[in-house]
Amino acid sequence: MEGKEEDVRLGANKFSERQPLGTSAQTKDYKEAPPAPLFEPGELQSWSFWRAGIAEFMATFLFLYITILTVMGVARSNNKCASVGLQGIAWSFGGMIFALVYCTAGVSGGHINPAVTFGLFLARKLSLTRAIFYIVMQCLGAICGAGVVKGFQPSLYESKNGGANFVSHGYTKGDGLGAEIVGTFILVYTVFSATDAKRNARDSHVPILAPLPIGFAVFLVHLATIPITGTGINPARSLGAAIIYNRDHAWDGHWIFWVGPFVGAALAALYHQVVIRAIPFKSGN
């Protein structure tokens, strides 16, 4: 009998009761990174700064190239069953974000989206200098990516709207703006949650898996909002396609694809920093 009691005691010590997240489970040592300065002049003299911008340019270039090419492939098919369809377009966007965030996270943070950069800037995760540089490089990469797709098949590109974002018939601009705000909120909130340093300190697997929920969020948002706006949630993606396509209806309401994502990103940053991060990391006794 005593032997059984000893086994039970050892087993209880070996397999401790799992604590709920957000309470006493958060007991690992954790040190909050200091807020990024608004201006950091030394960045401009650092190769890592320029390398990060190049990585953002290349990632956004590849993102637009693959995704717009997928959109064109679906548009040219007379039989939707013979193409990847709407689901395939959504997987293209989500899958590319998953792959590109994984590839570039260690170099630039893997933003690939001015709205993500803006949200992280508001949370003081990067300087204003770096944020502006990233957004410029993302937009240039998007323009080049869409341009290469048009170079491959100019007539198809022109006849099938060039993958440009605009509010679909039957929806108002208010509908489109709301869809962009909510869709970007979901994306940026996922980015904050997946890359939260507190979770990294507690769960060692979080940094490895971070690109997966981010890409999956992009996929799900596209499934929901492609019928409404073609899904922007990324001002660089919308700008690149609009510039290369360059038709009036691509520019009519283009502001929606800047205002919506930036408002959604700001709300996600506010929610994460004020509500989610307000939970104490260590519980007092």
Side-chain angles (χ1 to χ4, degrees):
M1 190 69 179
E2 291 181 359
K4 290 184 178 180
E5 291 178 354
E6 181 68 13
D7 290 342
V8 170
R9 185 180 63 82
L10 291 175
N13 290 336
K14 183 176 181 181
F15 302 103
S16 58
E17 182 179 357
R18 184 180 295 275
Q19 298 292 328
L21 297 181
T23 56
S24 57
Q26 299 176 336
T27 56
K28 283 190 177 182
D29 292 336
Y30 167 74
K31 185 177 181 180
E32 182 73 43
L38 190 60
F39 296 102
E40 196 168 356
E43 282 186 323
L44 298 177
Q45 302 173 1
S46 170
W47 165 240
S48 63
F49 174 82
W50 300 101
R51 181 183 63 177
I54 294 170
E56 287 294 311
F57 170 88
M58 184 57 67
T60 317
F61 168 81
L62 294 173
F63 177 61
L64 264 289
Y65 170 74
I66 293 296
T67 55
I68 299 300
L69 206 57
T70 303
V71 171
M72 293 297 98
V74 172
R76 72 179 297 175
S77 177
N78 295 324
N79 181 4
K80 298 304 179 183
C81 293
S83 70
V84 295
L86 184 148
Q87 293 85 354
I89 293 174
W91 273 121
S92 173
F93 279 88
M96 280 303 291
I97 288 296
F98 168 66
L100 293 170
V101 170
Y102 180 84
C103 292
T104 60
V107 180
S108 65
H111 297 189
I112 322 170
N113 186 335
V116 172
T117 299
F118 180 66
L120 293 173
F121 165 71
L122 293 180
R124 302 291 301 277
K125 303 297 184 183
L126 72 165
S127 68
L128 178 61
T129 309
R130 185 176 290 265
I132 293 174
F133 182 48
Y134 276 16
I135 291 173
V136 170
M137 297 300 282
Q138 289 159 359
C139 290
L140 291 175
I143 294 168
C144 293
V148 170
V149 174
K150 182 178 180 180
F152 282 163
Q153 41 196 7
S155 59
L156 177 66
Y157 189 90
E158 294 290 345
S159 64
K160 300 299 182 181
N161 297 323
N165 291 120
F166 48 86
V167 179
S168 300
H169 180 71
Y171 294 95
T172 67
K173 290 183 179 179
D175 297 333
L177 180 62
E180 290 296 307
I181 290 173
V182 175
T184 311
F185 178 91
I186 293 169
L187 168 60
V188 178
Y189 175 45
T190 303
V191 170
F192 274 110
S193 298
T195 60
D196 192 336
K198 287 184 178 181
R199 297 188 67 192
N200 294 352
R202 184 178 66 240
D203 304 321
S204 60
H205 63 278
V206 167
I208 299 174
L209 296 180
L212 182 59
I214 295 171
F216 199 61
V218 171
F219 164 69
L220 292 175
V221 171
H222 274 76
L223 282 182
T225 60
I226 283 177
I228 304 173
T229 61
T231 309
I233 68 171
N234 184 334
R237 172 260 187 274
S238 300
L239 179 67
I243 286 179
I244 299 301
Y245 180 55
N246 199 26
R247 293 290 185 273
D248 288 343
H249 66 278
W251 293 111
D252 181 32
H254 181 72
W255 60 271
I256 291 171
F257 302 101
W258 284 86
V259 175
F262 274 41
V263 171
L267 292 175
L270 180 67
Y271 176 67
H272 186 265
Q273 294 297 105
V274 175
V275 179
I276 302 302
R277 294 298 297 273
I279 300 174
F281 186 65
K282 290 185 178 181
S283 58
N285 295 322

